[in-house]
């Protein structure tokens, strides 16, 4: 083989080795980038999952309760965004009312308007029954906001009363299988009639409870129970706040 041929062959081999090195580098870089890409994708997915689970938990956690009591008795669990995330009935009429409504995940004001506009509640109020809305929650700012909203929702309806109570009442009420509103009524009646039982209050309509307190008021002024905060508008209500 001539010298020129040997030199060309050597250069060709060097170029081939360099090309192989370049391809090897490119392949390794591609694999490395693929691993980093997959790692980044996994990290993003984990972050999204965390946000979804954490956000979902925050969204589904009630920070307040709105007790709705007429004869139907139920409670709306309200989250930090003022939306209904749970509906719990406390008697058979409450169960029927809850089944007739589609209010979960709606705003609390929309839910209350649907309740007041339902056929069952409209008929009860037209017949002289009383509807009471009681806010119980753990953060004062939300309590005031919900109470103000309830007063606006009920402004066009007669025989409706709005209240707010301490958050601890919810636990005490539920221990007795009462809604917050019925528990508030129980404490007020119990102050005048010590022998009254939660079961007796549970079986009474809010109108019957008011009639009971009104009769007691003829002998002496009805006292509000500790922790009670009654609020309302357009009229008076025997120590129960005010009504529309």
């Amino acid at each position: 083989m001539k010298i020129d041929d040997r030199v060309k062959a050597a250069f060709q081999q060097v170029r081939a080795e360099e090309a192989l090195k370049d391809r090897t580098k490119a392949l390794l870089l591609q694999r490395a980038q693929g691993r980093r890409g997959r790692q980044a994708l996994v990290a993003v997915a984990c972050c999204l999952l965390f946000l979804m689970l954490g956000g979902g938990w925050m969204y589904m956690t009630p920070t307040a309760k709105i007790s709705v009591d007429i004869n139907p008795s139920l409670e709306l669990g309200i989250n930090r965004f003022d939306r209904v995330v749970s509906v719990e009935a406390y008697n058979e009429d409450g169960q029927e009312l809850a089944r007739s409504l589609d209010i979960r995940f709606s705003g609390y004001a929309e839910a209350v308007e649907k309740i007041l506009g339902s056929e069952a509640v409209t008929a009860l109020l037209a017949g002289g029954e009383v509807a009471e809305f009681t806010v119980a929650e753990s953060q004062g700012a939300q309590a005031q906001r919900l109470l103000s909203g309830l007063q606006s929702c009920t402004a066009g309806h007669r025989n409706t009363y709005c209240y707010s109570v301490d958050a601890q009442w919810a636990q005490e009420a539920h221990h007795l299988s009462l809604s917050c509103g019925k528990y508030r009524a129980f404490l007020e009646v119990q102050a005048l009639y010590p022998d009254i039982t939660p079961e007796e209050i549970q079986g009474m309509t809010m109108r019957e409870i008011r009639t009971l307190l009104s009769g007691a008021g003829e002998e002496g002024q009805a006292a509000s129970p500790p922790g009670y905060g009654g609020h309302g508008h357009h009229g008076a209500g025997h120590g129960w706040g005010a009504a529309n």
Side-chain angles (χ1 to χ4, degrees):
M1 179 180 294
K2 296 180 180 179
I3 295 178
D4 291 342
D5 293 336
R6 290 199 296 272
V7 171
K8 289 180 181 179
F11 275 113
Q12 287 175 351
Q13 184 175 359
V14 169
R15 285 198 293 270
E17 290 177 354
E18 288 179 351
L20 179 61
K21 290 180 181 179
D22 291 339
R23 287 197 299 272
T24 302
K25 288 180 180 179
L27 180 60
L28 292 175
L29 180 61
Q30 183 179 6
R31 290 180 177 177
Q33 289 175 339
R35 285 197 297 271
R36 286 197 295 269
R38 287 193 295 272
Q39 291 171 351
L41 184 61
V42 170
V44 170
C46 289
C47 289
L48 288 175
L49 181 61
F50 175 78
L51 290 174
M52 289 175 64
L53 292 176
W57 175 82
M58 289 177 60
Y59 188 90
M60 295 302 297
T61 300
T63 54
K65 297 280 188 179
I66 294 180
S67 177
V68 182
D69 299 282
I70 310 171
N71 185 28
S73 183
L74 52 83
E75 277 186 1
L76 311 180
I78 311 299
N79 68 10
R80 66 189 68 244
F81 308 107
D82 294 348
R83 304 193 76 82
V84 178
V85 292
S86 65
V87 180
E88 186 173 1
Y90 280 83
N91 58 18
E92 291 184 4
D93 289 339
Q95 292 175 356
E96 291 182 9
L97 179 60
R99 283 195 294 266
S100 70
L101 300 171
D102 182 18
I103 57 177
R104 197 162 180 239
F105 303 125
S106 63
Y108 79 94
E110 179 184 354
V112 169
E113 289 171 356
K114 284 185 177 181
I115 290 172
L116 289 171
S118 68
E119 184 177 348
V121 172
T122 298
L124 288 170
L125 294 179
E129 294 294 340
V130 171
E132 302 203 359
F133 298 85
T134 304
V135 178
E137 55 84 66
S138 59
Q139 300 174 6
Q142 189 180 26
Q144 186 57 44
R145 184 171 67 249
L146 294 179
L147 179 61
S148 178
L150 287 174
Q151 290 173 339
S152 297
C153 291
T154 60
H157 300 268
R158 294 195 59 80
N159 300 328
T160 57
Y161 294 72
C162 300
Y163 304 89
S164 65
V165 298
D166 294 339
Q168 68 182 39
W169 283 38
Q171 293 182 348
E172 297 169 2
H174 299 162
H175 179 70
L176 296 175
S177 299
L178 295 174
S179 66
C180 293
K182 278 288 182 76
Y183 180 64
R184 177 185 50 74
F186 167 67
L187 292 182
E188 190 163 356
V189 174
Q190 189 183 51
L192 299 168
Y193 301 96
D195 293 334
I196 196 78
T197 66
E199 291 76 18
E200 289 174 311
I201 288 295
Q202 180 65 283
M204 299 174 68
T205 69
M206 301 311 291
R207 180 185 180 184
E208 289 171 339
I209 294 172
R210 283 182 171 275
T211 299
L212 182 64
L213 288 172
S214 179
E218 295 176 359
E219 299 178 3
Q221 181 64 34
S224 296
Y228 161 74
H231 302 269
H233 37 84
H234 304 306
H238 299 290
W240 290 67
N244 292 311

